[in-house]
Amino acid sequence: MAILNSDCAAEVLASLDDFEAQVVGIASGIGSYDSGVHSHKKSQLLYAPEGCITIALEQMQYVLPPTKAAWIPAGIEHCAKMQMRDVVTCRSLYFDTASFTGLPDKIKIIGVNDLFKQLIERMSLWPWDMPAEQQKNLLSLFIEELLVAPEEMLPLPIPDDPRLKPWLAQVMSGDTLPQPLNQMAKMVGASEKTISRIFIRQTGMPYQAWRQQWRLHGAIVRLAEGRSISEVAFSLDFSSDSAFISFFRQHMGETPNRFLNT
């Protein structure tokens, strides 16, 4: 077990592959953190019981509120970011691939129920030198829950056309909102048709659909931070609270208040 803060997180995470334990658990409280693009020799489960993590995997961005976790197989390059008004509580479990069979070999964003949450919490706090025999029963239950957990991907594909890079850097950092297509095209210096072709080719969706997905990600992050409906609606440039609530219900199947309560 390691309980980390922002100052020591990077140093410990960089040395994880050197630990010989079959499972390494880390509990951390981090206010602002950017892991940079990296990979591990161990497979990882990443979860935030409080706050929200934004994670980039293979040209896709995902958000992890307290209802979701990410399973990242060994060797997959990824980048995790935590930039919150308050501290994010983060739980990471690292699995020695030689010690296990049957673990998922693909990236998964999965739902976290109450039982799974308690298992993650317990395992992230147990001693790294705990004998394998003492871990056996809990590990079996964890793997069972991992394999049956529902997938909830909600990806945001990231285009990599050079013409979009300055604009995209501002949008992904939160410095600006993605504008309607006509305004965005002027800012980038390309025609609307060119922008549309780029997004369909590189993300598989029209620009407007990508913009809505970005706003949905932004809404989930802000709600997980504990911001009010009015704050979220204003920060994402919705015309009213009711317009935001309708948008959220359309895409998530529930209202923002219900999402917060669950």
Side-chain angles (χ1 to χ4, degrees):
M1 171 193 67
I3 301 177
L4 310 179
N5 57 31
S6 302
D7 295 332
C8 62
E11 181 179 348
V12 171
L13 293 177
S15 61
L16 275 171
D17 288 331
D18 297 330
F19 290 101
E20 297 182 358
Q22 64 174 359
V23 179
V24 177
I26 291 179
S28 58
I30 300 175
S32 181
Y33 177 70
D34 184 339
S35 70
V37 177
H38 67 288
S39 64
H40 301 287
K41 295 178 183 178
K42 302 177 186 291
S43 294
Q44 177 186 11
L45 183 110
L46 180 62
Y47 175 63
E50 296 178 5
C52 192
I53 300 172
T54 300
I55 184 168
L57 297 162
E58 298 183 336
Q59 287 298 115
M60 293 284 185
Q61 177 177 284
Y62 305 91
V63 287
L64 303 179
T67 55
K68 297 182 183 182
W71 175 259
I72 308 168
I76 298 294
E77 289 193 340
H78 59 283
C79 176
K81 293 184 179 182
M82 296 159 236
Q83 293 177 319
M84 300 293 142
R85 296 187 302 176
D86 300 313
V87 170
V88 180
T89 56
C90 182
R91 304 291 181 257
S92 292
L93 302 175
Y94 297 87
F95 296 80
D96 177 24
T97 55
S99 301
F100 299 93
T101 59
L103 293 177
D105 59 0
K106 295 182 180 179
I107 295 166
K108 296 178 69 175
I109 308 298
I110 55 179
V112 176
N113 60 26
D114 288 340
L115 173 59
F116 201 23
K117 178 178 180 179
Q118 292 303 318
L119 291 170
I120 295 169
E121 187 71 14
R122 177 77 177 275
M123 292 170 61
S124 67
L125 293 172
W126 69 19
W128 290 351
D129 58 354
M130 178 185 287
E133 185 62 30
Q134 295 181 25
Q135 299 177 349
K136 184 177 179 181
N137 291 338
L138 205 61
L139 268 173
S140 296
L141 186 54
F142 171 88
I143 292 172
E144 181 180 336
E145 287 296 310
L146 173 66
L147 295 178
V148 301
E151 290 198 50
E152 302 178 1
M153 301 297 280
L154 198 67
L156 180 70
I158 309 301
D160 61 0
D161 189 284
R163 288 166 287 188
L164 301 182
K165 283 189 175 181
W167 170 84
L168 191 62
Q170 293 183 46
V171 169
M172 301 308 289
S173 67
D175 292 337
T176 187
L177 298 177
Q179 310 91 335
L181 179 58
N182 61 339
Q183 298 176 28
M184 182 269 197
K186 290 180 180 178
M187 185 174 181
V188 172
S191 69
E192 293 180 31
K193 288 184 178 180
T194 296
I195 298 298
S196 297
R197 284 196 296 268
I198 290 172
F199 271 86
I200 290 175
R201 182 176 68 251
Q202 296 192 349
T203 71
M205 60 177 67
Y207 172 73
Q208 181 59 19
W210 186 92
R211 177 174 180 254
Q212 297 295 64
Q213 190 82 324
W214 185 94
R215 294 172 96 190
L216 185 61
H217 274 216
I220 292 171
V221 170
R222 288 161 173 79
L223 290 170
E225 285 183 316
R227 301 194 191 190
S228 69
I229 300 297
S230 294
E231 283 184 286
V232 177
F234 178 79
S235 69
L236 294 174
D237 203 25
F238 283 92
S239 58
S240 65
D241 291 2
S242 60
F244 166 64
I245 293 170
S246 176
F247 163 84
F248 195 89
R249 184 193 293 117
Q250 177 185 353
H251 287 83
M252 297 296 291
E254 58 186 354
T255 65
N257 278 329
R258 181 169 176 78
F259 173 83
L260 286 171
N261 290 333
T262 57

